[in-house]
Tab-separated table of all heavy atoms in Angstrom:
chain	number	residue	atom	x	y	z
A	1	ARG	N	-99.177	-107.109	10.450
A	1	ARG	CA	-99.758	-105.778	10.539
A	1	ARG	C	-100.099	-105.347	9.131
A	1	ARG	O	-99.555	-105.768	8.108
A	1	ARG	CB	-98.713	-104.802	11.166
A	1	ARG	CG	-97.486	-104.556	10.245
A	1	ARG	CD	-96.422	-103.649	11.081
A	1	ARG	NE	-96.879	-102.337	11.138
A	1	ARG	CZ	-96.164	-101.343	11.769
A	1	ARG	NH1	-95.013	-101.795	12.518
A	1	ARG	NH2	-96.631	-100.059	11.842
A	2	ASN	N	-101.074	-104.484	9.134
A	2	ASN	CA	-101.585	-103.740	7.823
A	2	ASN	C	-101.486	-102.345	8.103
A	2	ASN	O	-102.169	-101.694	8.813
A	2	ASN	CB	-102.888	-104.233	7.509
A	2	ASN	CG	-103.402	-103.655	6.209
A	2	ASN	OD1	-103.124	-102.516	5.841
A	2	ASN	ND2	-104.152	-104.487	5.375
A	3	ASN	N	-100.347	-101.750	7.450
A	3	ASN	CA	-100.133	-100.401	7.764
A	3	ASN	C	-101.165	-99.439	7.179
A	3	ASN	O	-101.427	-98.424	7.748
A	3	ASN	CB	-98.746	-100.000	7.171
A	3	ASN	CG	-97.602	-100.580	7.897
A	3	ASN	OD1	-97.652	-100.813	9.111
A	3	ASN	ND2	-96.525	-100.926	7.230
A	4	ALA	N	-101.724	-99.810	6.004
A	4	ALA	CA	-102.665	-99.002	5.456
A	4	ALA	C	-104.022	-98.912	6.249
A	4	ALA	O	-104.692	-97.854	6.328
A	4	ALA	CB	-103.119	-99.536	4.043
A	5	GLN	N	-104.281	-100.068	6.983
A	5	GLN	CA	-105.475	-100.051	7.794
A	5	GLN	C	-105.197	-99.753	9.275
A	5	GLN	O	-106.124	-99.789	10.108
A	5	GLN	CB	-106.177	-101.406	7.562
A	5	GLN	CG	-106.598	-101.670	6.158
A	5	GLN	CD	-107.318	-103.080	6.034
A	5	GLN	OE1	-107.415	-103.841	7.019
A	5	GLN	NE2	-107.849	-103.303	4.881
A	6	ASN	N	-103.852	-99.643	9.576
A	6	ASN	CA	-103.573	-99.416	11.038
A	6	ASN	C	-104.110	-100.558	11.851
A	6	ASN	O	-104.713	-100.316	12.909
A	6	ASN	CB	-104.015	-98.072	11.474
A	6	ASN	CG	-103.225	-96.942	10.899
A	6	ASN	OD1	-101.988	-97.078	10.658
A	6	ASN	ND2	-103.953	-95.715	10.709
A	7	THR	N	-103.838	-101.690	11.449
A	7	THR	CA	-104.147	-102.899	12.315
A	7	THR	C	-103.003	-103.806	12.545
A	7	THR	O	-102.026	-103.828	11.716
A	7	THR	CB	-105.288	-103.719	11.641
A	7	THR	OG1	-104.735	-104.207	10.354
A	7	THR	CG2	-106.551	-102.848	11.399
A	8	VAL	N	-103.131	-104.493	13.696
A	8	VAL	CA	-102.045	-105.550	13.948
A	8	VAL	C	-102.798	-106.732	14.571
A	8	VAL	O	-103.716	-106.574	15.366
A	8	VAL	CB	-100.909	-105.056	14.951
A	8	VAL	CG1	-101.633	-104.583	16.245
A	8	VAL	CG2	-99.935	-106.021	15.250
A	9	ASP	N	-102.564	-107.831	14.004
A	9	ASP	CA	-103.181	-109.174	14.394
A	9	ASP	C	-102.216	-110.050	15.110
A	9	ASP	O	-100.948	-109.997	14.892
A	9	ASP	CB	-103.822	-109.711	13.244
A	9	ASP	CG	-105.046	-109.016	12.636
A	9	ASP	OD1	-105.314	-108.013	13.255
A	9	ASP	OD2	-105.541	-109.521	11.648
A	10	LEU	N	-102.750	-110.933	15.891
A	10	LEU	CA	-101.912	-111.958	16.509
A	10	LEU	C	-102.702	-113.293	16.329
A	10	LEU	O	-103.696	-113.446	17.019
A	10	LEU	CB	-101.687	-111.722	17.959
A	10	LEU	CG	-100.789	-112.659	18.727
A	10	LEU	CD1	-99.365	-112.472	18.231
A	10	LEU	CD2	-100.899	-112.408	20.283
A	11	GLN	N	-102.197	-114.160	15.536
A	11	GLN	CA	-102.698	-115.456	15.381
A	11	GLN	C	-102.116	-116.387	16.371
A	11	GLN	O	-100.865	-116.535	16.398
A	11	GLN	CB	-102.425	-116.068	13.934
A	11	GLN	CG	-102.954	-117.394	13.730
A	11	GLN	CD	-104.510	-117.441	13.785
A	11	GLN	OE1	-105.154	-116.669	13.177
A	11	GLN	NE2	-105.022	-118.539	14.458
A	12	MET	N	-102.915	-116.990	17.219
A	12	MET	CA	-102.406	-117.857	18.344
A	12	MET	C	-102.978	-119.229	18.120
A	12	MET	O	-104.111	-119.498	18.113
A	12	MET	CB	-103.005	-117.216	19.692
A	12	MET	CG	-102.554	-115.828	19.937
A	12	MET	SD	-103.066	-115.226	21.557
A	12	MET	CE	-104.807	-115.373	21.345
A	13	ASN	N	-101.978	-120.110	17.863
A	13	ASN	CA	-102.203	-121.516	17.722
A	13	ASN	C	-101.545	-122.288	18.866
A	13	ASN	O	-100.725	-121.868	19.538
A	13	ASN	CB	-101.664	-121.897	16.300
A	13	ASN	CG	-102.222	-121.294	15.115
A	13	ASN	OD1	-103.501	-120.928	15.142
A	13	ASN	ND2	-101.519	-121.119	14.146
A	14	SER	N	-102.100	-123.579	18.905
A	14	SER	CA	-101.556	-124.545	19.927
A	14	SER	C	-101.621	-123.959	21.336
A	14	SER	O	-100.595	-123.966	22.041
A	14	SER	CB	-100.205	-124.993	19.560
A	14	SER	OG	-100.162	-125.698	18.320
A	15	LEU	N	-102.758	-123.247	21.709
A	15	LEU	CA	-102.806	-122.474	22.919
A	15	LEU	C	-102.632	-123.380	24.176
A	15	LEU	O	-103.135	-124.520	24.125
A	15	LEU	CB	-104.080	-121.656	22.956
A	15	LEU	CG	-104.038	-120.437	22.094
A	15	LEU	CD1	-105.524	-119.986	21.882
A	15	LEU	CD2	-103.298	-119.367	22.771
A	16	LYS	N	-101.966	-122.947	25.171
A	16	LYS	CA	-101.718	-123.544	26.372
A	16	LYS	C	-102.434	-122.920	27.544
A	16	LYS	O	-102.644	-121.646	27.406
A	16	LYS	CB	-100.212	-123.707	26.610
A	16	LYS	CG	-99.418	-124.293	25.510
A	16	LYS	CD	-97.915	-124.279	25.855
A	16	LYS	CE	-97.006	-124.918	24.706
A	16	LYS	NZ	-95.675	-124.762	25.077
A	17	PRO	N	-102.686	-123.568	28.648
A	17	PRO	CA	-103.323	-122.871	29.764
A	17	PRO	C	-102.416	-121.673	30.264
A	17	PRO	O	-102.980	-120.699	30.661
A	17	PRO	CB	-103.354	-124.040	30.834
A	17	PRO	CG	-103.540	-125.267	30.079
A	17	PRO	CD	-102.684	-125.040	28.767
A	18	GLU	N	-101.097	-121.850	30.149
A	18	GLU	CA	-100.285	-120.693	30.593
A	18	GLU	C	-100.280	-119.495	29.657
A	18	GLU	O	-99.724	-118.510	30.020
A	18	GLU	CB	-98.842	-121.183	30.784
A	18	GLU	CG	-98.274	-121.948	29.394
A	18	GLU	CD	-98.376	-123.449	29.636
A	18	GLU	OE1	-99.447	-123.925	30.125
A	18	GLU	OE2	-97.401	-124.047	29.249
A	19	ASP	N	-100.982	-119.612	28.566
A	19	ASP	CA	-101.229	-118.366	27.755
A	19	ASP	C	-102.334	-117.529	28.197
A	19	ASP	O	-102.541	-116.523	27.685
A	19	ASP	CB	-101.514	-118.911	26.301
A	19	ASP	CG	-100.356	-119.563	25.622
A	19	ASP	OD1	-99.218	-119.016	25.815
A	19	ASP	OD2	-100.593	-120.514	24.878
A	20	THR	N	-103.116	-118.095	29.244
A	20	THR	CA	-104.264	-117.348	29.793
A	20	THR	C	-103.703	-116.086	30.349
A	20	THR	O	-102.836	-115.937	31.215
A	20	THR	CB	-104.964	-118.039	30.890
A	20	THR	OG1	-105.481	-119.344	30.294
A	20	THR	CG2	-106.003	-117.309	31.624
A	21	ALA	N	-104.283	-114.853	29.985
A	21	ALA	CA	-103.908	-113.560	30.297
A	21	ALA	C	-104.709	-112.634	29.672
A	21	ALA	O	-105.600	-112.853	28.753
A	21	ALA	CB	-102.428	-113.249	29.961
A	22	VAL	N	-104.587	-111.317	30.105
A	22	VAL	CA	-105.253	-110.226	29.442
A	22	VAL	C	-104.192	-109.759	28.402
A	22	VAL	O	-103.058	-109.498	28.725
A	22	VAL	CB	-105.618	-108.972	30.359
A	22	VAL	CG1	-106.086	-107.839	29.533
A	22	VAL	CG2	-106.621	-109.540	31.447
A	23	TYR	N	-104.578	-109.709	27.118
A	23	TYR	CA	-103.735	-109.280	26.092
A	23	TYR	C	-103.874	-107.842	25.627
A	23	TYR	O	-105.018	-107.378	25.536
A	23	TYR	CB	-103.962	-110.218	24.820
A	23	TYR	CG	-103.215	-111.519	25.036
A	23	TYR	CD1	-103.827	-112.480	25.950
A	23	TYR	CD2	-102.099	-111.924	24.285
A	23	TYR	CE1	-103.235	-113.660	26.121
A	23	TYR	CE2	-101.596	-113.202	24.453
A	23	TYR	CZ	-102.126	-114.005	25.388
A	23	TYR	OH	-101.540	-115.205	25.562
A	24	TYR	N	-102.777	-107.034	25.550
A	24	TYR	CA	-102.859	-105.680	25.277
A	24	TYR	C	-102.261	-105.303	23.963
A	24	TYR	O	-101.028	-105.695	23.692
A	24	TYR	CB	-102.202	-104.831	26.380
A	24	TYR	CG	-102.876	-104.972	27.618
A	24	TYR	CD1	-102.439	-105.939	28.644
A	24	TYR	CD2	-103.740	-104.047	28.191
A	24	TYR	CE1	-102.985	-106.092	29.948
A	24	TYR	CE2	-104.402	-104.147	29.433
A	24	TYR	CZ	-103.967	-105.288	30.314
A	24	TYR	OH	-104.486	-105.270	31.449
A	25	CYS	N	-102.870	-104.567	23.076
A	25	CYS	CA	-102.363	-104.040	21.901
A	25	CYS	C	-101.466	-102.777	22.327
A	25	CYS	O	-101.869	-102.011	23.111
A	25	CYS	CB	-103.432	-103.663	20.906
A	25	CYS	SG	-102.866	-102.981	19.400
A	26	ASN	N	-100.370	-102.692	21.506
A	26	ASN	CA	-99.407	-101.573	21.737
A	26	ASN	C	-98.942	-101.035	20.502
A	26	ASN	O	-98.521	-101.699	19.692
A	26	ASN	CB	-98.319	-101.990	22.693
A	26	ASN	CG	-97.206	-100.983	22.829
A	26	ASN	OD1	-96.159	-101.135	22.258
A	26	ASN	ND2	-97.393	-99.988	23.583
A	27	VAL	N	-98.902	-99.682	20.447
A	27	VAL	CA	-98.216	-99.007	19.335
A	27	VAL	C	-97.348	-98.011	19.801
A	27	VAL	O	-97.643	-97.295	20.911
A	27	VAL	CB	-99.264	-98.411	18.245
A	27	VAL	CG1	-100.185	-99.438	17.742
A	27	VAL	CG2	-100.091	-97.320	18.943
A	28	ARG	N	-96.155	-97.707	19.159
A	28	ARG	CA	-95.203	-96.760	19.811
A	28	ARG	C	-94.317	-96.201	18.610
A	28	ARG	O	-94.126	-96.853	17.574
A	28	ARG	CB	-94.413	-97.467	20.915
A	28	ARG	CG	-93.619	-98.612	20.383
A	28	ARG	CD	-92.893	-99.173	21.706
A	28	ARG	NE	-91.985	-100.304	21.310
A	28	ARG	CZ	-92.497	-101.614	21.279
A	28	ARG	NH1	-93.845	-101.891	21.541
A	28	ARG	NH2	-91.598	-102.536	20.965
A	29	ASN	N	-93.884	-95.079	18.933
A	29	ASN	CA	-92.826	-94.314	18.159
A	29	ASN	C	-91.894	-93.664	19.256
A	29	ASN	O	-92.384	-92.596	19.738
A	29	ASN	CB	-93.384	-93.340	17.208
A	29	ASN	CG	-92.391	-92.739	16.329
A	29	ASN	OD1	-91.252	-92.460	16.715
A	29	ASN	ND2	-92.792	-92.469	15.074
A	30	VAL	N	-90.775	-94.246	19.514
A	30	VAL	CA	-89.898	-93.735	20.493
A	30	VAL	C	-89.413	-92.244	20.213
A	30	VAL	O	-89.362	-91.504	21.117
A	30	VAL	CB	-88.741	-94.652	20.741
A	30	VAL	CG1	-87.782	-94.054	21.763
A	30	VAL	CG2	-89.161	-96.077	21.216
A	31	VAL	N	-89.099	-92.082	18.966
A	31	VAL	CA	-88.632	-90.681	18.654
A	31	VAL	C	-89.671	-89.632	18.958
A	31	VAL	O	-89.424	-88.558	19.379
A	31	VAL	CB	-88.159	-90.658	17.132
A	31	VAL	CG1	-87.807	-89.246	16.755
A	31	VAL	CG2	-87.072	-91.537	16.957
A	32	ARG	N	-90.972	-89.946	18.643
A	32	ARG	CA	-92.028	-89.040	18.957
A	32	ARG	C	-92.630	-89.230	20.280
A	32	ARG	O	-93.698	-88.591	20.592
A	32	ARG	CB	-93.137	-89.302	17.902
A	32	ARG	CG	-92.764	-88.883	16.481
A	32	ARG	CD	-93.809	-89.104	15.509
A	32	ARG	NE	-93.526	-88.659	14.238
A	32	ARG	CZ	-93.803	-87.458	13.748
A	32	ARG	NH1	-94.491	-86.552	14.589
A	32	ARG	NH2	-93.399	-86.992	12.533
A	33	SER	N	-91.941	-90.006	21.194
A	33	SER	CA	-92.479	-90.215	22.551
A	33	SER	C	-93.945	-90.738	22.578
A	33	SER	O	-94.707	-90.302	23.371
A	33	SER	CB	-92.311	-88.901	23.300
A	33	SER	OG	-90.884	-88.515	23.451
A	34	MET	N	-94.226	-91.616	21.644
A	34	MET	CA	-95.543	-92.182	21.613
A	34	MET	C	-95.550	-93.562	22.037
A	34	MET	O	-94.833	-94.325	21.506
A	34	MET	CB	-96.207	-91.996	20.193
A	34	MET	CG	-97.658	-92.486	20.058
A	34	MET	SD	-98.206	-92.412	18.445
A	34	MET	CE	-97.266	-93.650	17.623
A	35	ASN	N	-96.397	-93.892	22.960
A	35	ASN	CA	-96.503	-95.264	23.477
A	35	ASN	C	-97.920	-95.426	23.961
A	35	ASN	O	-98.244	-94.989	25.027
A	35	ASN	CB	-95.509	-95.608	24.560
A	35	ASN	CG	-95.339	-96.949	24.918
A	35	ASN	OD1	-95.854	-97.854	24.294
A	35	ASN	ND2	-94.894	-97.240	26.106
A	36	LEU	N	-98.762	-96.077	23.116
A	36	LEU	CA	-100.150	-96.258	23.452
A	36	LEU	C	-100.643	-97.586	23.580
A	36	LEU	O	-100.010	-98.604	22.973
A	36	LEU	CB	-100.942	-95.550	22.247
A	36	LEU	CG	-100.531	-94.279	21.779
A	36	LEU	CD1	-101.407	-93.734	20.644
A	36	LEU	CD2	-100.863	-93.259	22.963
A	37	TRP	N	-101.577	-97.772	24.497
A	37	TRP	CA	-102.110	-99.088	24.830
A	37	TRP	C	-103.552	-99.217	24.673
A	37	TRP	O	-104.284	-98.317	24.870
A	37	TRP	CB	-101.787	-99.370	26.324
A	37	TRP	CG	-100.341	-99.417	26.688
A	37	TRP	CD1	-99.528	-98.443	26.983
A	37	TRP	CD2	-99.530	-100.633	26.528
A	37	TRP	NE1	-98.200	-98.881	27.199
A	37	TRP	CE2	-98.137	-100.149	26.941
A	37	TRP	CE3	-99.735	-101.967	26.274
A	37	TRP	CZ2	-97.053	-101.038	27.026
A	37	TRP	CZ3	-98.617	-102.773	26.344
A	37	TRP	CH2	-97.349	-102.353	26.769
A	38	GLY	N	-103.982	-100.464	24.286
A	38	GLY	CA	-105.415	-100.620	24.255
A	38	GLY	C	-105.890	-101.007	25.724
A	38	GLY	O	-105.146	-101.120	26.609
A	39	LYS	N	-107.220	-101.298	25.797
A	39	LYS	CA	-107.737	-101.580	27.170
A	39	LYS	C	-107.577	-102.990	27.529
A	39	LYS	O	-107.576	-103.241	28.820
A	39	LYS	CB	-109.244	-101.308	27.080
A	39	LYS	CG	-109.640	-99.837	27.022
A	39	LYS	CD	-111.111	-99.660	26.952
A	39	LYS	CE	-111.548	-98.256	26.734
A	39	LYS	NZ	-112.965	-97.970	26.774
A	40	GLY	N	-107.247	-103.877	26.640
A	40	GLY	CA	-106.892	-105.270	26.968
A	40	GLY	C	-107.949	-106.109	26.697
A	40	GLY	O	-109.215	-105.731	26.740
A	41	ILE	N	-107.815	-107.351	26.299
A	41	ILE	CA	-108.729	-108.373	26.017
A	41	ILE	C	-108.438	-109.692	26.653
A	41	ILE	O	-107.321	-110.095	26.561
A	41	ILE	CB	-109.011	-108.448	24.502
A	41	ILE	CG1	-110.146	-109.331	24.206
A	41	ILE	CG2	-107.754	-108.955	23.786
A	41	ILE	CD1	-110.654	-109.210	22.788
A	42	GLN	N	-109.358	-110.407	27.307
A	42	GLN	CA	-109.101	-111.584	28.023
A	42	GLN	C	-109.005	-112.792	26.970
A	42	GLN	O	-109.792	-112.976	26.159
A	42	GLN	CB	-110.282	-111.820	28.947
A	42	GLN	CG	-109.978	-113.146	29.797
A	42	GLN	CD	-108.866	-113.042	30.791
A	42	GLN	OE1	-108.826	-112.018	31.567
A	42	GLN	NE2	-108.058	-114.104	30.818
A	43	VAL	N	-107.981	-113.544	27.214
A	43	VAL	CA	-107.783	-114.805	26.568
A	43	VAL	C	-107.657	-115.867	27.671
A	43	VAL	O	-106.741	-115.827	28.580
A	43	VAL	CB	-106.557	-114.846	25.691
A	43	VAL	CG1	-106.294	-116.280	25.243
A	43	VAL	CG2	-106.685	-113.896	24.583
A	44	THR	N	-108.599	-116.788	27.661
A	44	THR	CA	-108.631	-117.910	28.619
A	44	THR	C	-108.507	-119.199	27.935
A	44	THR	O	-109.302	-119.627	27.090
A	44	THR	CB	-109.861	-117.865	29.529
A	44	THR	OG1	-110.021	-116.705	30.161
A	44	THR	CG2	-109.764	-119.003	30.486
A	45	VAL	N	-107.471	-120.026	28.264
A	45	VAL	CA	-107.254	-121.395	27.718
A	45	VAL	C	-107.476	-122.345	28.843
A	45	VAL	O	-106.677	-122.461	29.701
A	45	VAL	CB	-105.854	-121.490	27.177
A	45	VAL	CG1	-105.628	-122.784	26.479
A	45	VAL	CG2	-105.489	-120.365	26.206
A	46	SER	N	-108.571	-123.099	28.725
A	46	SER	CA	-108.911	-123.890	29.738
A	46	SER	C	-109.891	-125.064	29.189
A	46	SER	O	-110.663	-124.824	28.206
A	46	SER	CB	-109.742	-123.261	30.855
A	46	SER	OG	-110.139	-124.239	31.854
């Protein structure tokens, strides 16, 4: 993550077919009752 830029990355190596899914970004602050989701992005390993 880069806090200054408000970004979070996921480097995925050695991908397997079972990694196929829609991946969702999530940010949260439990104390502030904040739990936010992205729309999702498709990852297909085939």
